[in-house]
Amino acid sequence: MTMAKVTAVHLFEEFLRVSHNAQDESCFVSESVQLSYGEMLDVVQRSASWLQSLGVSKGHRISISAPNEIHAIITLASLQLGCVSATWVSRQVFFSDEYDFLITTNPQEAPDRATVIPIGEDWLALLMQSAPLLEVVSFDDELAPVRIAYSSGTTGKPKGLAFSTEALKVRMMAAERNWIKGDRFMSLIGFGSMSGVITFFQRVFSGETFYSPGGPGENASVIAQRGLTCIKASPAQLMTLLSHCETNKLTLSSLQLIQSAGSQLPEKLALKLEGFFEAEILNLYGSTETGAIAIRTGGINKPNQMGAVVPEAQVEIVGADQIVLASGTEGTVRMRTPMMPKSYVSEQSENETGFRNGWFYPGDFGTLTADGILNLAGRHKEVVNLAGVKVNLGNLDVLVGNLE
């Protein structure tokens, strides 16, 4: 099913529409949990009622630390209540961004001052005692935050990014155009990443099945049992999946396309994946801040080539004076996409990386060809001067990754 343009101001209204039209269709699937759209809507509305009884209301910010099926349910219930949801990251982030509630299956991880809503083994039984909440609480407008996602940023420290209804709509449409391929698609990247959140939203707002990621064995089982044809994962996840399949002699013959995202895919791993699964390998370059920026198909032996810039993205190479450089000239990469955040939740970044004047600076050096092919030459903090010789530590890392 192709996703129609999401037009409702409230995203939960889209979920209601889809659920009523596809009550018996598969909504959420993992190795151990399967929920139809009708079942998911029922448990989400009961969760909203339960949360409301505990004092959760419009505008509250909710941090979630729970297995994927619970995370999915609470995320949708938060939308219904007009709340802002996020994945739990750390004790430090919890207080720097001032969340109102931590919903967790592990209360011991909570900071001392956190308002904790524990989820125990009796959670489903408690939900069944709550009548489904039929009311949908409206956000103030389409630009009000509905989701906080965290980026490791360009410093390695988690930084919050606020996404509105309108921003999520734009990001979902871009994902469907660029990397969510067909109805038998699975992202191995979970709710802790914006990519995982966008996958979930795009699937459930289009009436498709969301295949929930797990460990390598669980992922291989879902791929094999469901005949999935396309996956998206980080290089580390692809490495563990490949190792599991090699050990257990699983070919996952339905796979046709493997997409790598999050960091550069070592050539050695790419060749192994291509040979073992007999699938096409595709590399995605982008960030939590911007979404997908460039896509490389083929060209495994060109690890620094990020591929063609996607239509909705704008990429420029600039010098130290912020003047745009000519095609093929190496400089600092800056990029932007429609409705991307303009700053982090708790701080502004005005150095060589981060947000500046409507652009995001990922901290990369690179070149852009006249026909829109982006090539990376390293990162600001990875280029060191050794006795007058500039050494790119990023390229060195790729070379080490390709060694036997």
Side-chain angles (χ1 to χ4, degrees):
M1 183 183 298
T2 300
M3 183 178 180
K5 180 176 175 58
V6 178
T7 56
V9 171
H10 203 302
L11 286 173
F12 194 78
E13 293 174 358
E14 292 292 328
F15 180 63
L16 281 174
R17 179 185 61 79
V18 170
S19 297
H20 289 148
N21 291 337
Q23 287 193 21
D24 298 325
E25 300 296 323
S26 177
C27 176
F28 183 101
V29 169
S30 68
E31 188 179 37
S32 58
V33 177
Q34 297 182 39
L35 292 171
S36 68
Y37 272 91
E39 292 168 333
M40 178 64 92
L41 177 59
D42 180 68
V43 73
V44 165
Q45 290 180 319
R46 291 179 188 274
S47 296
S49 178
W50 171 69
L51 290 172
Q52 194 176 62
S53 72
L54 296 173
V56 178
S57 61
K58 177 180 177 177
H60 280 148
R61 295 212 257 183
I62 298 172
S63 190
I64 308 167
S65 176
N68 283 347
E69 61 273 16
I70 298 176
H71 199 127
I73 291 166
I74 298 298
T75 294
L76 290 172
S78 299
L79 277 180
Q80 183 178 0
L81 291 173
C83 297
V84 183
S85 63
T87 299
W88 164 262
V89 177
S90 71
R91 298 168 67 92
Q92 179 182 5
V93 170
F94 186 92
F95 283 110
S96 67
D97 288 339
E98 299 178 351
Y99 284 100
D100 299 291
F101 296 94
L102 170 60
I103 299 177
T104 178
T105 53
N106 181 21
Q108 291 74 24
E109 70 183 342
D112 294 337
R113 293 183 291 144
T115 301
V116 178
I117 298 179
I119 293 181
E121 295 180 357
D122 61 344
W123 181 63
L124 282 176
L126 287 174
L127 288 189
M128 292 304 106
Q129 298 173 17
S130 301
L133 181 68
L134 302 182
E135 176 192 8
V136 178
V137 180
S138 296
F139 290 94
D140 291 336
D141 55 50
E142 286 197 314
L143 298 181
V146 299
R147 182 77 184 188
I148 302 290
Y150 285 91
S151 168
S152 58
T154 52
T155 63
K157 176 184 175 182
K159 298 178 181 180
L161 293 153
F163 289 87
S164 66
T165 295
E166 185 62 29
L168 289 177
K169 291 178 187 178
V170 171
R171 192 67 71 91
M172 282 187 280
M173 297 296 288
E176 185 177 33
R177 283 192 299 268
N178 295 320
W179 50 265
I180 295 182
K181 305 294 185 180
D183 59 349
R184 290 189 289 168
F185 168 85
M186 179 182 187
S187 174
L188 276 56
I189 301 170
F191 283 98
S193 164
M194 193 59 188
S195 175
V197 172
I198 289 297
T199 300
F200 173 67
F201 281 153
Q202 194 279 336
R203 297 282 85 182
V204 300
F205 295 145
S206 60
E208 300 289 359
T209 303
F210 172 72
Y211 296 100
S212 177
E218 295 170 301
N219 293 334
S221 176
V222 172
I223 293 167
Q225 292 177 10
R226 299 286 172 163
L228 303 188
T229 57
C230 176
I231 61 172
K232 177 184 179 182
S234 70
Q237 290 170 325
L238 292 173
M239 185 180 297
T240 58
L241 178 67
L242 175 62
S243 176
H244 175 84
C245 291
E246 287 178 328
T247 300
N248 293 278
K249 297 181 172 56
L250 301 173
T251 60
L252 304 184
S253 58
S254 63
L255 271 184
Q256 300 172 12
L257 178 62
I258 296 173
Q259 302 179 95
S260 176
S263 62
Q264 290 193 46
L265 180 66
E267 180 183 355
K268 177 184 172 184
L269 176 58
L271 290 171
K272 281 188 173 182
L273 291 166
E274 187 178 52
F276 185 84
F277 293 116
E278 298 183 352
E280 179 185 0
I281 308 299
L282 185 149
N283 192 79
L284 303 175
Y285 170 77
S287 69
T288 302
E289 290 82 353
T290 63
I293 291 293
I295 301 176
R296 185 186 74 217
T297 57
I300 286 176
N301 61 343
K302 299 179 181 179
N304 290 332
Q305 185 189 98
M306 298 298 102
V309 175
V310 299
E312 64 271 12
Q314 185 178 359
V315 175
E316 292 181 348
I317 308 299
V318 298
D321 56 3
Q322 303 304 303
I323 300 299
V324 178
L325 301 176
S327 298
T329 304
E330 184 177 311
T332 296
V333 177
R334 70 181 184 185
M335 53 203 194
R336 61 187 176 190
T337 52
M339 293 302 300
M340 76 176 190
K342 297 299 187 289
S343 65
Y344 295 108
V345 169
S346 57
E347 64 179 300
Q348 297 283 342
S349 180
E350 295 292 343
N351 50 32
E352 74 274 8
T353 62
F355 295 99
R356 269 187 289 165
N357 301 319
W359 293 88
F360 176 66
Y361 290 71
D364 292 328
F365 288 116
T367 63
L368 188 66
T369 67
D371 56 351
I373 303 299
L374 177 64
N375 297 279
L376 296 189
R379 293 185 58 78
H380 281 272
K381 294 185 179 180
E382 290 178 345
V383 177
V384 296
N385 194 324
L386 298 177
V389 178
K390 291 185 177 179
V391 177
N392 184 337
L393 300 182
N395 288 344
L396 182 62
D397 184 59
V398 172
L399 289 173
V400 171
N402 285 327
L403 295 176
E404 292 288 348

